[in-house]
Amino acid sequence: MKRILILLVSFPMTFSVKAQDSTLDSIDPALKIYRASFPHINDLVHTKLNVRFDYTKSYMYGKAWITVHPHFYPTDSLSLDAKGMDIKTVSMNKENQQIPLKYNYDGSTLRIHLDKTYRYIENYTIYIDYTSRPNEVKAQGSAAITDAKGLYFINPLGTEKDKPTQIWTQGETESNSVWFPTIDKPDQKCTEEISMTVPAKYVTLSNGKLVSQVKNTDGTRTDNWKMDLPHSPYLFFMGVGDYAIVHDKYKGKEVNYYVEKEYASVAKRIFGLTPEMMAFYARILGFEYPWVKYSQMTARDYVSGAMENTTSTLHTDALQQDARQLTDGNKYEDYICHELFHQWFGDLVTTESWSNLTLNESFANFSETLWAEYKHGKDAGDATNFHDIEKYLADPKNPSKNLVRFYYRDREDMFDMVTYSKGGRILNMLRNYIGDSAFFKALNLYLVNFKFKNAEAHNLRMAFEQVTGQDLNWYWNQWYFGSGHPVFDISYSYDDAKKMAKVVIRQVQGTGKIFRIPMAIDVYEGGSKTRHKIWLENESDSFYFNYNKRPDLINVDGDKIILCQKEDHKTLDNFIYQYKHARLYLDRREAIDYCSEHQDEPAARALLTLALKDPYFELRSLTMNALDLDKPEIKTAVEPVLLDLAKNDPDRTVQGNAIGILGTFKKEEYKDLFLKKTTDSSYTVAGNALYALSAVDEPQAYQLAKEFYQHPAKGELNAAIVAVFIKEGDESNFDFIIDGFTKMPELSLEKVETFPQFAALTLKMQNTDQFKRAIDAIVKYRDALPSTEKGEISKLINENFLKPIGDRKEAAGLKDQAEYVRSKLN
Ligand SMILES: [Zn+2]
């Protein structure tokens, strides 16, 4: 599963280096429950389903044949998860006769009394006739899983304008038992076949192979899907809708993209790297893509980012970017490789329990680094690494959590940035420590040993130990079964008389836990680099290096690989040297950050001017945004460079960014450039240009915004249109503004960016009716967030926006408006 993280890192949040609090969660009684593996009494063997859908009631009528056998001990009963169903028949076929079986059903578990005691060598098949009622399922457990319907009917009656009718399922974690009775645990695996009867105008998607399609006389069609390799129930999938299927291929296997029809022409620009990704992963793993086909489908109103259902990935419809959006590159390439890598890590070898979710999600997260590095270069790979560290650090609760956790409030809580971002970095550090060839050989061994089975973190360790011949318990204990990360304080001193440098690395995390870290220290002297491999093992470690001439730079963590925070007491000259000679993404980024904070120094300013032409686009934008343009000497120095970037940068996001900054100069002479760029094919460039234009010629920008508004504009252009309307400050534009804001996809970056402006406008609004509509739009945004994001973001929106708006309205004597806001605070 892929969470939508962009929001979490985009909202302003503060996080300062402080002692990691390991007592944060210790008070919650739910955290005292040991989450044991689910006991195996019976094991699934095969699941056969016949289903048809009632769009009027949002029901599914199902017939299931569940084949199982006792796990080891003889048993005369079978418990199946079956959430919120109406159970009609439970029976068993005996000598060609259907024998009804006694059962108890409490709305979530179906307890069946078998006709006799079975032994583990005996398979038996239970037949169940049932109705699945996903909208009537009582939410179980915590608020985090209110979206656990399993089966979703989207616009089933066709009453919502501009929204297609779709059916799709979302099983992880244990929600597929809403639509078929099963043992809904990740450590069960079985083969399956599903017959879906649907209106003939729709297409279907499910796991495995489409073996036949039969037209029925009543305007329906029955599609028979067969999956003849075992996988876990949470990975079962059905999708139904009016999609275009765009065909692709990988080594003779079908690769299909299911998109809404208007996106058929761009489907290959969105998904077309899939075969190359399959080839890349198969090659590095030494393990061929294991399944019969690979399809990807988009979903409206999806409750997560994406889900790796075996052979049938489901993505949020945000992936459906139009040709102009794609001018900036596919913003969702990481989703595509993440879910694909799960086909090996998660689907082929599956976590034994949610406690070991790292075996699914850390790998999928790490695959984003592997792909970025392979396809877009070392900088791109390193950038994913750095951003994941940021995501992990963004939540101050994360450092107190173990990666493998047997105590958690709710299994959904396992899907956090410890499991994803930190887990991915732990794999990346391990790869660096043991080397690529040993790393991938161990992954291959792990896949070979556990294919079509389940594993826990120790199984992974043993594969690495077998390949490397080393004991790795220390690594697993520290990173998998432990919490936190090192916080370094690094200082340098030089004794020119003795010609000796001293580096002191102190671990100041203040948790009492001291990390054992292998790392490289590079000493740059007289134009050449000498690498020293060292170990950190103490609260304070000192290292001594001889020199002839005082080194230009001592670069601790030369590979910039360690998951850490640090205070690195280098000089400005060290950082400038680092930018020019160490050259990794993070080497350069650290130098840019340091120089950004020392813009009074001419040498720092010179470095920033140089970094505006950094080979990696993101660092060009980082530098640009860090410039202190209130300083005339900086403004004068960088203006020609910014102008060049605004005109010519090969990356459209950098171009757009430079245009946006030039706009703040409010110079008439740039007007023609802005005007010309408003028609750029990239929404980012056009949007920034429109907003920049509004700084030099507001009436013309307003006029253009009204023109552009007539065509469907997305992304930054839509955001700019809304922003120009807001800037115009005329409440008569309110309908445009609210419409533009509402039509931004809930989880899009432009909505995140526009949101504060929209909230600011809402605050100014006098007309109570319009004010309420604006508040409704904010509340709709807040409440449409998927459950995985909802908790944190809702709180931010309530506390940072809604509550202050209410307070200000109260203070202004607008009781009615204040009251309205308060009623929405839940
Ligand atoms: Zn995932």
Side-chain angles (χ1 to χ4, degrees), residues 1-3 172 306-308 338-339 342 360-362 364-365 368 415 420:
M1 191 152 30
K2 177 99 179 155
R3 293 184 51 182
E172 199 172 27
M307 178 65 208
E308 68 272 18
H338 177 114
E339 304 309 325
H342 269 311
N360 293 9
E361 295 302 347
S362 303
N365 175 285
E368 298 167 32
F415 292 78
Y420 284 72

Side-chain angles (χ1 to χ4, degrees), residues 645-646 651-661 684-685 688-689:
L645 296 174
D651 185 277
R652 297 297 233 280
T653 59
V654 176
Q655 234 188 71
N657 201 356
I659 291 168
I661 292 173
T684 304
V685 171
N688 275 288

Side-chain angles (χ1 to χ4, degrees), residues 15-16 51 91 116 173 195 230 393 416 562 628 654 665 706 762 823:
F15 176 74
S16 53
V51 306
S91 66
K116 63 167 193 144
T173 50
S195 287
L393 293 174
D416 64 4
I562 311 296
D628 183 358
V654 176
F665 289 18
K706 283 200 285 192
T762 306
S823 73

Side-chain angles (χ1 to χ4, degrees), residues 126 183 260 520 634 715 766 776 820:
I126 302 289
I183 304 172
E260 289 170 34
I634 295 182
Q766 297 298 318
D776 288 347
Y820 193 72

Side-chain angles (χ1 to χ4, degrees), residues 755-774:
F755 182 75
Q757 289 169 295
F758 184 77
L761 176 79
T762 306
L763 178 63
K764 282 194 295 185
M765 286 169 55
Q766 297 298 318
N767 179 309
T768 296
D769 173 52
Q770 290 184 343
F771 174 80
K772 286 182 178 174
R773 280 172 64 203

Side-chain angles (χ1 to χ4, degrees), residues 36 39 301 372 420 564 640 668 803 813:
D301 298 347
Y420 284 72
C564 65
E668 187 68 22
K803 201 173 167 299

